Amino acid sequence: MTTRTPQELAVPVQGGDLAVTRWPGDGPAVIAVHGITGNSLSFGAVAERLGDVDLYAPDLRGRAHSAGLPAPYGIPAHAEDILVLLEHLGLRQVLLLGHSLGAFIAALAAARHPERFPRVVLVDGGLGFPVPGGADLDAVIESVIGPAMRRLRTTFPDGDAYRAVFREHPAFTAHWGPHVQAYVDRDLVGEPPEMRSSCALDAVRADGAGPIGDLETLGAIHQREVRGTLLWAERGVMNEPQGLYDEGRLAAADLSPDRITTRRVDDTNHYTILFAEHATAAVAEAVRGELKQM
């Protein structure tokens, strides 16, 4: 792996500027889209694995350096921002790499604009399971990312207290390092003794409804135009044995294997699939494989 120095870009979108981190390279361009309470630096370790790939990762509106961007939120709004970013870069098409919520955004963008996003790499996301009719969507979101939602409502006396939440998080305990800390620090705003996450709760609520209740979002990965790889973590959000996906859930989803290749990344959870050394190698391998198909 080679150390890569990221650059900061500001891309005009509806309502203001979208903050974008770029890891410049001489190779093909890739746009990477982070998860629901994440930010662009969730891809820092992957960027080092990708070497010469010209990697662009926005902070989604309502997060990190794009926290000031107003509504509309929701997966379609983020997909539109990704298209605007592509236009801003003057590129005809790119591969989309998405993690968690970002995978749903990538799938929707590819379904709507297959000529611009012909291949995708979806990392522990993109395939949703609708909730029963009449279910309380806020309650469902809370059940999936409850600890994250509580963190967004909490203030912290200083940066160390905020970092401690992640150091002690079951998913991160064994994987704390420079890339994780940079990711955590990018999310932190305010001044002692009232520091907090940058994530806008309204954005998280609006975005979280998509993978469980929006028919277009749920159907995107099943569209014939969406082609690529789905990598899934062995364990879950809290490092629990049951991950978001397993062989049974994937079989029930009946994904077309000639369009979407699925692969489990062993010994990972929902977060470390972007940070563990063997996992970043798997993500980079998938990206390079899909780039060859373009």
Side-chain angles (χ1 to χ4, degrees):
M1 291 190 294
T2 57
T3 301
R4 304 176 69 186
T5 302
Q7 302 172 348
E8 296 287 330
L9 309 178
V11 177
V13 296
Q14 181 180 347
D17 286 340
L18 185 73
V20 179
T21 301
R22 179 192 182 191
W23 289 268
D26 298 327
V30 170
I31 294 177
V33 192
H34 65 73
I36 193 166
T37 61
N39 60 67
S40 61
L41 293 191
S42 62
F43 294 101
V46 172
E48 292 197 353
R49 281 282 183 184
L50 287 173
D52 63 343
V53 166
D54 197 15
L55 185 65
Y56 297 83
D59 291 331
L60 296 176
R61 60 175 62 228
R63 284 86 168 171
H65 296 185
S66 298
L69 279 175
Y73 305 119
I75 289 174
H78 296 307
E80 181 61 26
D81 286 342
I82 298 303
L83 183 61
V84 172
L85 170 58
L86 183 67
E87 297 283 2
H88 178 84
L89 298 175
L91 298 173
R92 184 177 67 87
Q93 59 179 211
V94 295
L95 180 145
L96 287 180
L97 165 64
H99 171 245
S100 192
L101 178 85
F104 288 94
I105 297 168
L108 182 65
R112 287 184 169 187
H113 308 285
E115 74 287 355
R116 311 304 298 274
F117 308 113
R119 310 295 297 192
V120 297
V121 174
L122 311 176
V123 182
D124 220 35
L127 173 63
F129 304 96
V131 299
D136 183 333
L137 294 185
D138 279 349
V140 175
I141 295 169
E142 188 82 24
S143 72
V144 176
I145 59 166
M149 293 291 281
R150 290 189 287 276
R151 170 171 54 84
L152 303 190
R153 300 187 187 103
T154 304
T155 56
F156 300 85
D158 53 36
D160 285 342
Y162 190 65
R163 294 182 196 106
V165 172
F166 290 86
R167 281 181 175 272
E168 296 164 8
H169 191 292
F172 287 102
T173 300
H175 293 276
W176 185 265
H179 287 301
V180 177
Q181 180 165 328
Y183 160 74
V184 170
D185 286 352
R186 189 174 180 88
D187 180 50
L188 189 60
V189 296
E191 298 293 337
E194 293 188 357
M195 304 192 79
R196 59 179 177 80
S197 167
S198 65
C199 295
L201 273 168
D202 286 348
V204 172
R205 289 192 188 98
D207 296 346
I212 57 178
D214 177 69
L215 294 180
E216 185 184 11
T217 298
L218 288 165
I221 195 173
H222 299 284
Q223 300 303 308
R224 60 182 177 83
E225 296 88 357
V226 179
R227 298 177 176 274
T229 299
L230 169 61
L231 300 176
W232 52 283
E234 182 178 6
R235 297 192 297 276
V237 172
M238 298 296 291
N239 202 40
E240 68 272 29
Q242 177 61 59
L244 296 180
Y245 305 119
D246 56 34
E247 297 288 358
R249 289 177 177 177
L250 291 171
D254 197 27
L255 293 175
S256 175
D258 62 331
R259 290 190 306 101
I260 303 291
T261 300
T262 63
R263 176 187 168 194
R264 186 178 79 174
V265 183
D266 294 338
D267 194 25
T268 57
N269 60 52
H270 183 66
Y271 295 106
T272 60
I273 197 169
L274 288 183
F275 291 105
E277 190 170 335
H278 72 287
T280 59
V283 174
E285 179 184 6
V287 168
R288 293 190 182 282
E290 292 300 333
L291 284 171
K292 291 177 181 178
Q293 303 298 316
M294 293 178 60

